[in-house]
Each structure stands twice: as C-alpha cells, then as structure tokens.
DNA sequence: GTTTCCGCTGGAAACGTTTCCGGGCAGCCG
DNA sequence: CGGCTGCCCGGAAACGTTTCCAGCGGAAAC
C-alpha cells in the first residue's frame, strides 16, 4: 500500500493495451466498450488516479482557482470564501487561498506570481484598488474576477454591491425612527468600501435635510475590532453634552464596537443610541442586542464571482460580466429593541440581479 | 503584454546559452557569475517566471499543502487556517482549502483524491476520526498532520489539545464561584471534540463531589448556532423549578446560544446563570457579556501543524511528532460580571509544549 | 468483388522544467 | 611541459499526461 502511485503506462501494460488507448478509455471518447471495460478494471485494481501535475502540464490547465483577500479574519470574506469553495468544488476545481499584501503594489506582485502557472483564474477582493492594480490584473493573462466595485476595464469581470446605497438605507432607517444626532463610524477612506460608504453616508444625510441636527464621522484605522473600539470611543466622547442618538457603522465589526463603547459611556442600545452595522454577518445576528445590518450578500457575491470565473474559463471569449448585488436592510434589536423580530438565524435569500 | 508567458527555452535562446545553463543560472548553483548575470537580465527583460506545473512535474513537488476541515464557518477553523497560511506562505508554499465530507468515508475519498498529485502534504482536522480514516491517512503516501487527538499510529504526526482538561477548568471555575446546578451544552458525542469534552465534564463533576446538586447534559445536533439554540432552550427548559445556575458549553458558539436562551427565559448572565465557552474566539471576546472561555490555542495548533508538516517535507524520515497545546481558562464577564476585566482584545500567548 | 469510408488502435510528440552526464578548458602541481 | 583535477557548459533524458496522426481492419456501398 505504501508503494508509490500507479501511473498510466503501468495500467496500460497490465491491461495489455497501448498508453494512448488507456488514456482514451479513462477520459476520452474514441474507445470501444471492451477497451473501456478492460482498462477501467485494471485502473480500479491498481488504484490508479491520474496525476494532477502531469495532466496540468499537458492540458495547460490546473483546475485550481485562487481567492485572494486582504483579511481572512473578517467574517465577510469567510462567507465569500465558503460560497466560492462550494461552487468551484462542485465543478471539479480546487480552491487556493491567498492573502493580498497591504499595498496595491504587493498585491500586484502576488498576482503575477500566483497566476504564473499555479491557477487557471483568480477571484480577488482587494481593499485598495487603484489603476495600477487594475492594469496588473487585466494583463495577468488569466481570467480575473474582481469583487469590489464596478470596473471600466472591459478585460475584467466584476462583482459588486451598492454599499453606498446600503449606508443610505441605514441612515434613512434611523432618521425614520426620529434620530437626529447621527454618528458615522467608518473605516479608512482610501479603501474601496471606505470610500463608497462615506459617499453613501454624506449623500444620505444631505438629502435628509435640516431635520438632522448633528452629523459626525470618525474613521477607524482599519475594519477590525481593535481599531474600531478606539474610534468608537472617540466618536462618542466628542458628544457628551448632546449625545449621539444613532451610530451608523460601516461594518458589523465596527457596529459591535459602537455598542460596546456606548455601553461603557452609560448609554443604552437602542433606547439612547441606535446602532446599525453592515454585512449582516452571523456575528451580528447572534450579538446582544442583535444588530440591525445591511445585507450586502457576501455569499451571493462569492457565488456570482465563482460562476463568472468558471464561465469565463469555459469560454474565454465570453462577454464581460458585471454582476451587482442589491443591498438589503435587515432590522433587528440594535435599532428597534424588543419590538424587533427575535431574529431566528434565518438564511437570507440575498438575490443578485445581473446586468450585462 | 498579452502574449503568453515566456518559457525557459526562450530565455536561454535570447541569452545565447543552453537551456540547462539558463536553469542553473536561475535556481541552481553551478553557474559562473557572468552566466548568472546574463540570464538574470534576460529573464527580467522578458518577465520570466518559472511555470509551476512544469516544475512540479519534474521535481515531484507541488509546493502546495492542503488544509481540510469540516466546517470552515466555525471561527476556530478560520483561526487555524490563518495561522497555517502564514507559516506555509512564508516558506514558499501555497495553501489549498478543502472541506471534508460528513462521514469518515467521504473524508477518506477526498484525501485520496487530494493527495493524488495536487499537494505535497495535508493538515486535516476531522470532526470524526475512526480507525478506517486513520488507516487511509497513514497510507496516503504523503505526509499528513492530524489536528484532533493524539494518535497511536506512528506514521502520522498529530497536534492536539487537552480539551477534556479544559472543560475541567471551566467546571472547577463555576464550582469555585459557588454554582451548584450545572448544565453541559455539548456537541455530538460521536465527534472527537464532543467525546473528549463529555469525558472531561463527567470527570470534573465526579471529582467535585456532593457539593454539586444537579448535573444535566444536552447534546446539540452539531456545533453551530442553529442547532445550539434549540439545544440550549431544551436544556434550560428542563429546570424551571430550580433553574441551572451555570452552563458549561463545549464551544463559544454554543455558549452564545446558552446566553441567548437564558435571556429568553428571563435569567440574567452571570447573576442567575454563569456561562462558559470554549475556544476563546474573537466572537466570544466581543460578545455581550464577554465570554469566559477556555483557550485551546487554535492559532498555536495551526502553526504547530504547519511547522510539523513542513518539517516532515524537508526530512521525510523525521521522527513522529505529537504536539500538545495546553488549555487555559480566560475569565470574563459571562461568569464574573462587572468584576471581570473589561477584556481588551489582547492577543493571548497560547504556548504549546512539545513532547516527542 | 472491389472500393470507400469509418471506427478503433498504437506510436509518438508535446507541455516546461530540473538534473544527470560527458566533454572542454583552464589552472595547478609535478 | 605534460598530466591531472576541478569548474562550467551543452546535450539529453525524464517527470505523467493528452492528443495528433497514421495505419489497419471490417463493414457498407456499388
């Protein structure tokens, strides 16, 4: 059993047929029934499995795709990854995990290396996406799907969501609840999501008119809990005389920090201050209080990206796809309190609409 | 730029040297300085990167390792994966993600396929680990490190933790707080962690003596939030006359469910009922109340497994390693209330001790 | 009965790389 | 000055697979 694996020539010899016939019998189509039977039997007997490297070299396909992401610790990316993994493994592909560097330049280098033979394609969700990176991705010579924002470059497929509009929904929601002093807890503005969400927030408070008394934004160093807590405390501390009565966070992780900081400051959630998150992670669903959050369809985006990539692999000349997943506000206790549905851990449908 | 990638023969020809010299100049050691300079220059100019498949075929190494796990949605496995990814990518390896099937038989089949050429080794953390699976792993013909429990089979490296002892720490802790009616919220008993933790719980309450009035165990269908909530409600519902004053959960996810269910039942945490978790996930640290939890060193286990695997790849004859990571109770609000440290998101040291 | 065509088989090349092996040349020692 | 040693280089083989191409035989068509 410890002997090294059987090779195709061994199978062929033992079956008394030629190498090419053996190959055809196992995968190809031009073989007689008798041939197929004999070769299959021997292959079974020897426990033959085709060697992935040999096959890859010859076919010029690795049957591997990579998923590159900045911070795999973020539940959103895990959700995406899970969805991607499901799709690609169903289609016989293996999933390779890569973490992009901090800067676009790091990412570009990584991509060049990665695409150099080890994968057939790439799904990437970079935090920062500049022209140089787009150029590097487009010139990679392999199909690349970008999860982030819609792209002008027609050599790349993209999957995105309207997170600006999503933040708008959150703002409208708390304004609709009568909140008038609104804080925004955002991540770095030079990131794709940070920029979009800031834009969405500014637009939403702009159109809300003079009913909104106070508007204040605090930017965390990144989208993690550690940086978020610092920022949340700073944001709340700036408004002691007339405390904020709503905090819109760019992220469920940041929203949790906002709740924690509010509690430290002696404020009740949602009675004194309503808090909204974004991404609708499981984390937010089980949190106390459960988080009102904007579902950006992470799983749907992951699935769409994987489908897009596999489609492009099947037909390289396929027209460019740009899937956009619509955001959807999910209201829970962190804005409505006991009135909110007790939030059974429902699987949300998260539909994605496609436009060519 | 869109032209397909440069190959080594192209580099060699353009540099006016032979194929073998070009290869040596780039990777090997028997080349003159002049040769190295010339070839390197041409390679740079053409943007040459060695093709992974060709190299893999020739060297019989893919420089890929796989991490196989049952449920990547569980934060513990994400933490492990992150640690593994860090170690292997530092050493020039790529990480492949695989999800094991439900049954050991599925897993065995997956392993056979995976090991068939696409990876050099495997780190696997199976939920259920029977003799058949051990046999399949040991006979895979490639190095395999099992994260789960210590193994008798000396063909396999293993990394484990004393989760039974960890549960014991949790029980001792709540008993020390004066709790007398203790519930245990566990996952399936036919899984490796489920079995160990049940054993640990039973032993701990056994040695606690007659001071403990009530002991009750409820087993969830799996280790997820959905199943956990059902089980937690059932567990608490069985004790309305004299409600449980402590719930020990086999998992942070289950602990969160216990808190949620307690709250639904009108019980305060920790005043009426103390709750402990296990795994010390970030989720538990930011939860309200923050969870007292037993740190099993997921990151440390991942790192150790990766190191073990890479070590074995460097030296196949290396002696079998069996790393055991010690559990450590981290006390927070869910048992101590406001007395607990306010739990800054500290990185815990999580040391692992090695025994040969 | 002869020709044509089709289905099936075996031989051989190719994918891109690393490494073994033999040979040439220079330097050093005798 | 000759022989030996050692360094470099080029040729070629090998990793395991798929697929192109040619050939052979039998069946169908005339």
């Amino acid at each position: 059993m410890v002997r090294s694996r059987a090779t195709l020539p061994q199978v062929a010899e033992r079956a008394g047929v030629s190498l090419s016939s053996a190959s055809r019998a196992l995968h190809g189509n031009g073989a007689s029934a008798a041939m197929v039977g004999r070769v299959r039997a021997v292959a079974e007997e020897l426990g033959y499995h085709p060697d992935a490297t040999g096959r890859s070299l010859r076919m010029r396909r690795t049957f591997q795709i990579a998923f590159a992401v900045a911070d795999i610790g973020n539940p959103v990316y895990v959700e995406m990854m899970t969805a991607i993994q499901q799709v690609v493994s169903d289609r016989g592909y293996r999933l390779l995990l890569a973490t992009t560097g901090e800067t676009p330049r790091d990412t570009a280098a990584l991509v060049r290396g990665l695409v150099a033979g080890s994968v057939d394609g790439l799904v990437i969700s970079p935090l920062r996406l500049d022209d140089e990176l787009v150029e590097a991705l487009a010139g990679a010579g392999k199909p690349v799907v970008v999860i982030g924002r819609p792209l002008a470059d027609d050599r790349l497929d993209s999957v995105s969501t309207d997170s600006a509009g999503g933040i708008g929904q959150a703002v409208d929601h708390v304004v609709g609840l009568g909140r008038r002093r609104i804080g925004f807890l955002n991540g770095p503005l030079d990131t794709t999501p940070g920029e979009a969400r800031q834009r969405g927030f500014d637009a939403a408070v702009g159109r809300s008119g003079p009913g909104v008394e106070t508007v204040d934004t605090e930017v965390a160093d990144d989208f993690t809990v550690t940086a978020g807590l610092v920022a949340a405390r700073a944001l709340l501390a700036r408004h002691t005389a007339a405390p904020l009565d709503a905090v819109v966070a760019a992220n469920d992780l940041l929203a949790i920090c906002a709740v924690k900081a509010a509690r430290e400051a002696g404020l009740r959630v949602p009675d004194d201050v309503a808090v909204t998150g974004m991404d609708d992670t499981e984390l937010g669903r089980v949190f106390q209080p459960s988080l009102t959050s904007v579902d950006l369809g992470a799983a749907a985006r992951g699935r769409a990206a994987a489908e897009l990539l596999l489609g492009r692999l099947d037909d390289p000349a396929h027209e460019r796809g740009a899937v956009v997943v619509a955001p959807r506000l999910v209201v829970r206790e962190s804005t409505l309190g006991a009135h909110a549905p007790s939030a059974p851990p429902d699987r949300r449908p998260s539909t994605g609409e496609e436009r060519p």
Side-chain angles (χ1 to χ4, degrees), chain A residues 51-65:
Chain A
D51 178 79
T53 42
R55 160 188 284 247
S56 292
L57 181 58
R58 170 63 219 229
M59 298 185 73
R60 321 198 57 126
R61 303 187 63 175
T62 60
F63 298 98
Q64 296 187 158
I65 76 145

Side-chain angles (χ1 to χ4, degrees), chain A residues 104-105 128-135 149:
Chain A
R105 189 173 303 270
R128 296 174 174 84
L129 180 60
D130 61 8
D131 290 348
E132 187 183 359
L133 181 53
V134 168
E135 191 52 41
R149 55 177 167 85

Side-chain angles (χ1 to χ4, degrees), chain A residues 150 160 320-324 353-356:
Chain A
S160 55
R320 181 183 84 107
V323 174
V324 177
E353 56 189 31
E354 184 162 348
R355 61 184 182 199

Side-chain angles (χ1 to χ4, degrees), chain A residues 67-71 77 80 98-108 110-111 122-135 137 144-151 156-160 188 190-195 197 223 301:
Chain A
F67 178 48
V69 77
D71 170 25
Y77 294 126
M80 276 186 195
T99 48
T100 68
E102 268 300 300
T103 73
R105 189 173 303 270
D106 286 350
T107 310
L110 171 106
V111 166
L122 174 67
V123 174
I124 185 171
S125 181
L127 222 38
R128 296 174 174 84
L129 180 60
D130 61 8
D131 290 348
E132 187 183 359
L133 181 53
V134 168
E135 191 52 41
L137 293 173
V144 173
V145 178
V146 176
I147 301 183
R149 55 177 167 85
L151 294 178
L156 294 173
D157 294 308
S158 71
V159 174
S160 55
D190 64 341
T191 63
T192 306
E195 184 276 326
R197 289 162 204 196
F223 285 100
R301 279 183 287 161

Side-chain angles (χ1 to χ4, degrees), chain A residues 139-192:
Chain A
K142 302 247 167 96
V144 173
V145 178
V146 176
I147 301 183
R149 55 177 167 85
L151 294 178
D153 196 304
D154 62 353
R155 293 168 295 177
L156 294 173
D157 294 308
S158 71
V159 174
S160 55
T161 179
D162 179 18
S163 69
I167 287 288
Q169 290 185 27
V171 171
D172 293 348
H173 172 61
V174 297
V175 168
L177 291 172
R179 308 295 169 134
R180 293 292 177 262
R181 294 183 301 279
I182 304 178
F184 182 40
L185 188 56
N186 198 4
L189 296 179
D190 64 341
T191 63
T192 306

Side-chain angles (χ1 to χ4, degrees), chain A residues 57-294:
Chain A
L57 181 58
R58 170 63 219 229
M59 298 185 73
R60 321 198 57 126
R61 303 187 63 175
T62 60
F63 298 98
Q64 296 187 158
I65 76 145
F67 178 48
V69 77
D71 170 25
I72 196 58
N74 190 323
V76 184
Y77 294 126
V78 174
E79 201 172 331
M80 276 186 195
M81 183 181 67
T82 308
I84 294 173
Q85 157 76 5
Q86 216 138 30
V87 172
V88 301
S89 75
D90 278 358
R91 304 264 292 268
Y93 280 76
R94 297 180 296 271
L95 184 63
L96 214 106
L97 179 65
T99 48
T100 68
E102 268 300 300
T103 73
R105 189 173 303 270
D106 286 350
T107 310
L110 171 106
V111 166
R112 252 191 306 277
L114 198 63
V115 168
S118 53
V119 300
D120 296 337
L122 174 67
V123 174
I124 185 171
S125 181
L127 222 38
R128 296 174 174 84
L129 180 60
D130 61 8
D131 290 348
E132 187 183 359
L133 181 53
V134 168
E135 191 52 41
L137 293 173
K142 302 247 167 96
V144 173
V145 178
V146 176
I147 301 183
R149 55 177 167 85
L151 294 178
D153 196 304
D154 62 353
R155 293 168 295 177
L156 294 173
D157 294 308
S158 71
V159 174
S160 55
T161 179
D162 179 18
S163 69
I167 287 288
Q169 290 185 27
V171 171
D172 293 348
H173 172 61
V174 297
V175 168
L177 291 172
R179 308 295 169 134
R180 293 292 177 262
R181 294 183 301 279
I182 304 178
F184 182 40
L185 188 56
N186 198 4
L189 296 179
D190 64 341
T191 63
T192 306
E195 184 276 326
R197 289 162 204 196
Q198 189 67 50
R199 189 159 34 79
F201 180 78
D202 293 343
V205 297
R207 73 167 176 266
S208 288
V212 177
E213 289 173 21
T214 308
V215 169
D216 190 13
T217 293
E218 174 73 22
V219 172
D221 284 346
D222 58 40
F223 285 100
T224 67
V225 172
T226 312
L229 201 52
V230 175
R233 285 172 180 150
L235 176 62
L236 292 175
R238 278 205 295 269
H239 304 270
T240 47
L244 297 175
D245 57 11
V247 172
V248 172
N251 202 335
D252 273 8
L253 294 177
L254 297 180
I256 285 170
C257 296
V259 171
K260 235 182 161 61
R263 224 162 144 251
E264 289 172 6
L267 300 170
R268 291 164 305 165
V269 176
D271 310 81
D272 298 324
V273 55
V275 174
T276 71
M278 177 161 258
D279 283 335
D280 192 28
T281 59
E282 180 173 55
L283 175 57
R285 291 195 289 275
V286 301
F287 193 68
Q288 305 267 14
S290 59
L291 288 182
T292 292
S293 189
V294 179

